[in-house]
Amino acid sequence: MSTLARPSSRGRSAEAAQPFRVPLRKVVADLRGGGPLHMLQTVGQNADGAIARLHLGPFRPFLVSHPDHLKHILRDRSDNYPRGAAMWDALGRLAGKGIGGEGEQWHASREILKPAFSARYLSAASEQMIDSILGAVQDLGRRAGAGHPVDAGREMTRIVQRVIDPLFFGRLVPAGEGDRLGDAIATAMGSLLWRMAMPFMPHWIPVPGDRAFRAATRTVNEILRPVVHQARAGGGDGNDVVTRLLNGAGADGAPLTDEQVCDDIVALFVAGSESSAIALSWVWVALAQHPDVAERVVQEVDAVVGQDRPRYEHIRKLSYTQMVLKEVLRIYSVGWAVPRMALKDDVIEGVAIPAGATLAISPYLTHRLESVWPDPHRFDPTRFTPEQNRSRHPLAYVPFGSGVHQCLGEAFFGQEAALIVAAVLSRYRVEVAAPVEPKLSLTLQPSEPVELILTPRR
């Protein structure tokens, strides 16, 4: 069988099933032809939902995209596929082994944090969130005055940080440190791609990005770790995340140490600011590329919010805006690949998965399967009507993962993003100065800064 022929296992015996094999020469050719994203797209198109195996020298991960296979890994056999793979090992150097890791300590941290992301808490916190967003958007307007372009990534990070500082940290992050913190996290995340690609390389052997990662990690710790010490000394009894962690217990039943609390805070900040800011940057790119969609969003914002202050009850009424946000996360899957490691030998639809193998689940490819998403490259928010949602495979759309590791912040992001989009569009007409393409890093990022031009509407 040719290594480039699709060996679909559907309708074939388990003994005959083989993964779609991508030899090293093909990987290299695709990388030279268009870079990592081109290589990923080519493999996804040729494999068409079949499990693929990439030959990257000594590293040979399985690439998984079909919803049935995701269900097996993330739900049915999640006990056999923990997060002990290259990405999590590299990211653990920044975010620690608590909520950003695996095992008993991860479970303990997750249980402590669940109430902070519940519907009840988000409703109670909505007024604080709206205050933060309106203040941040007002500051954004001053920086974007007279038609000066502003960097969407930096501005969305500022808005998101303004939201999460009181809710996560009880306003303990030092004033003026937001930009430095955002830049450091972005640098750290962007420096890990080589470590992901070469998991067999010991950490004492330098690879590109290591020096930048270490410097960025020092900056993150310099800013966030004193927050924990200050909160511990203050003996706060609030509902912010730092206080919840300080009052919580670890897997051994003992109070969390400052080190454990710091690790969880860094992990939450990475997820709550870096990923959210990237997703919001893609929102403006998508609206600029699809002016008909943008006009409909503006009309909905005007009808629901108008010139009033946004309110919690507006979120549910911004139904088309919510569909647009979902379609943005489908097209621009920020977490484009999520690795898992097989603890024991397994078989997925006839394909043998040996113990110790790395499996890269790719939401980016899952969201482009023609068998699930007709005309998948077309931007169409109406894919997410209630009727369409009910008709799809439950794991056809996984921007926040699924199963035991499903992101706690999914509802938080949906509420925050809808309010941010409404607050901006009720005040400004937003343009993107130049077209922007995606690139693969640890996340799916714009290939260059997204420059926004804001013109006051009223």
Side-chain angles (χ1 to χ4, degrees):
M1 178 186 295
S2 167
T3 55
L4 295 183
R6 183 191 175 211
S8 173
S9 59
R10 290 171 176 76
R12 301 175 63 180
S13 66
E15 291 76 16
Q18 293 292 325
F20 175 85
R21 298 185 183 278
V22 186
L24 181 61
R25 57 178 175 78
K26 177 61 175 171
V27 172
V28 172
D30 285 338
L31 287 172
R32 288 176 175 173
L37 186 58
H38 172 71
M39 184 270 290
L40 179 70
Q41 291 171 332
T42 300
V43 173
Q45 183 177 1
N46 290 331
D48 191 25
I51 295 175
R53 192 160 200 188
L54 305 180
H55 288 236
L56 306 175
F59 182 44
R60 299 187 177 186
F62 291 91
L63 188 62
V64 184
S65 60
H66 195 277
D68 288 341
H69 305 156
L70 268 59
K71 180 175 180 293
H72 180 93
I73 296 167
L74 298 178
R75 292 188 180 180
D76 300 342
R77 291 296 314 281
S78 61
D79 59 323
N80 191 51
Y81 295 99
R83 299 196 295 188
M87 170 182 163
W88 303 112
D89 182 48
L91 193 56
R93 296 162 61 208
L94 172 66
K97 304 299 183 183
I99 195 67
E102 186 63 86
E104 292 183 353
Q105 187 54 50
W106 160 81
H107 181 74
S109 292
R110 187 177 176 92
E111 289 302 306
I112 294 170
L113 294 171
K114 269 184 181 179
F117 294 95
S118 66
R120 181 177 181 181
Y121 178 74
L122 291 180
S123 175
S126 60
E127 286 302 308
Q128 174 63 71
M129 180 181 286
I130 291 166
D131 284 342
S132 299
I133 290 171
L134 292 178
V137 171
Q138 188 174 24
D139 291 345
L140 166 61
R142 284 193 287 266
R143 286 190 293 271
H148 296 303
V150 294
D151 183 334
R154 171 159 287 196
E155 296 300 337
M156 293 304 104
T157 299
R158 285 169 170 163
I159 295 176
V160 169
Q161 287 180 354
R162 186 88 161 252
V163 171
I164 67 177
D165 183 29
L167 299 180
F168 282 19
F169 308 115
R171 300 184 186 278
L172 292 175
V173 174
E177 291 283 36
D179 285 351
R180 194 163 76 101
L181 184 58
D183 289 345
I185 289 176
T187 298
M189 297 288 284
S191 302
L192 288 175
L193 191 59
W194 281 98
R195 281 292 172 193
M196 280 185 63
M198 296 187 292
F200 50 85
M201 192 72 72
H203 284 301
W204 57 268
I205 297 179
V207 301
D210 276 0
R211 182 176 297 179
F213 178 86
R214 287 194 296 270
T217 301
R218 283 195 298 270
T219 299
V220 172
N221 290 330
E222 286 170 6
I223 297 172
L224 289 185
R225 292 187 183 274
V227 169
V228 176
H229 303 318
Q230 184 180 346
R232 176 86 74 185
D237 58 358
N239 286 323
D240 60 86
V241 168
V242 174
T243 302
R244 289 177 185 274
L245 289 168
L246 289 172
N247 293 335
D252 57 359
L256 297 182
T257 66
D258 282 4
E259 185 72 18
Q260 289 171 321
V261 174
C262 287
D263 285 345
D264 284 346
I265 288 301
V266 172
L268 286 170
F269 204 94
V270 169
S273 64
E274 165 78 359
S275 299
S276 296
I278 293 172
L280 285 163
S281 297
W282 286 124
V283 169
W284 307 117
V285 172
L287 292 180
Q289 291 176 342
H290 306 281
D292 56 329
V293 173
E295 181 59 27
R296 186 170 170 183
V297 172
V298 171
Q299 290 174 356
E300 181 177 73
V301 169
D302 287 349
V304 172
V305 180
Q307 297 186 45
D308 297 337
R309 170 189 171 89
R311 299 191 302 274
Y312 179 72
E313 56 266 30
H314 288 157
I315 298 170
R316 179 178 56 81
K317 296 177 180 178
L318 292 168
S319 56
Y320 185 73
T321 302
Q322 295 278 11
M323 289 192 288
V324 169
L325 292 171
K326 288 182 171 66
E327 180 71 342
V328 168
L329 292 178
R330 184 186 73 85
I331 293 287
Y332 301 103
S333 307
V334 176
W336 62 273
V338 182
R340 291 287 188 269
M341 183 183 70
L343 292 180
K344 300 177 181 178
D345 290 347
D346 195 11
V347 177
I348 302 178
E349 200 174 0
V351 175
I353 308 295
T358 294
L359 297 89
I361 296 167
S362 178
Y364 183 91
L365 296 183
T366 302
H367 296 166
R368 284 165 169 73
L369 287 176
E370 291 188 6
S371 59
V372 180
W373 303 95
D375 195 5
H377 298 283
R378 177 170 55 89
F379 189 88
D380 181 9
T382 62
R383 299 179 194 273
F384 292 95
T385 62
E387 297 75 19
Q388 293 281 356
N389 290 337
R390 286 192 293 269
S391 67
R392 271 193 304 272
H393 192 294
L395 275 81
Y397 182 68
V398 286
F400 296 94
S402 183
V404 296
H405 285 289
Q406 184 162 346
C407 178
L408 285 173
E410 180 174 359
F412 182 93
F413 173 79
Q415 177 173 316
E416 170 191 55
L419 290 170
I420 290 172
V421 170
V424 173
L425 291 182
S426 64
R427 291 158 177 77
Y428 302 102
R429 181 167 57 88
V430 182
E431 301 173 83
V432 174
V436 179
E437 297 297 326
K439 71 172 183 180
L440 292 188
S441 181
L442 197 66
T443 52
L444 188 74
Q445 299 184 6
S447 57
E448 54 192 82
V450 178
E451 293 192 327
L452 303 181
I453 299 174
L454 276 61
T455 306
R457 295 182 58 202
R458 303 181 180 95

